[in-house]
Amino acid sequence: MSDQHLYGSCLCGGVRYKAALPVFHASHCYCTMCQKQHGAAAGSYANVARAGLVIESGPELVTEYASSEDGRRSFCRVCGSTLFWHSTQSPHRIAITLGTLEPEYDGPVERELYSDTKPAWLPHGG
Ligand SMILES: [Zn+2]
Ligand SMILES: [Zn+2]
């Protein structure tokens, strides 16, 4: 492959980033904090190496919220797009949000996290 990166941007386009492959795993997280922050059923993430993440434009717009003792959630302060999640306990990994990727993420999503708080209003197949 000629380009071993994923590319993403926020809704307003102020923040653009690239992340070096590989993706270690991708997941839909149904924890209630992800639901609140994303305003959605889940936070959908791909885990990549922290060292391979480059904010190509708008680094000053990326704002970090400490949602727990270890959890750090980054978003664009202009448009509110959720961008990254990382744990201070795992400084070498960072999770990038699948919904901000362009082109669309086409890899597998192996995991569903916190399925016990998966909302009942999600469509159930069919
Ligand atoms: Zn933005
Ligand atoms: Zn979560």
Side-chain angles (χ1 to χ4, degrees):
M1 284 174 72
S2 57
D3 191 346
Q4 303 277 343
H5 290 87
L6 297 173
Y7 292 86
S9 63
C10 64
L11 179 58
C12 75
V15 179
R16 295 189 179 278
Y17 67 89
K18 69 176 180 179
L21 291 168
V23 166
F24 294 98
H25 66 259
S27 62
H28 299 303
C29 181
Y30 296 99
C31 83
T32 54
M33 286 191 288
C34 282
Q35 289 182 32
K36 283 281 188 190
Q37 194 200 10
H38 294 256
S44 299
Y45 293 102
N47 276 274
V48 297
R50 180 72 185 82
L53 178 71
V54 178
I55 312 292
E56 296 186 294
S57 69
E60 73 282 2
L61 303 180
V62 178
T63 305
E64 193 173 273
Y65 171 63
S67 58
S68 65
E69 194 173 333
D70 306 324
R72 299 291 183 270
R73 294 167 181 272
S74 299
F75 58 94
C76 171
R77 70 173 168 83
V78 174
C79 68
S81 292
T82 56
L83 295 165
F84 314 118
W85 181 94
H86 78 277
S87 167
T88 56
Q89 305 278 13
S90 304
H92 302 301
R93 292 286 174 90
I94 192 163
I96 59 178
T97 48
L98 295 185
T100 57
L101 293 174
E102 292 173 39
E104 180 181 302
Y105 180 70
D106 65 355
V109 176
E110 298 98 338
R111 299 186 193 179
E112 290 196 324
L113 307 174
Y114 296 92
S115 296
D116 53 322
T117 49
K118 197 171 182 171
W121 44 261
L122 269 179
H124 297 282

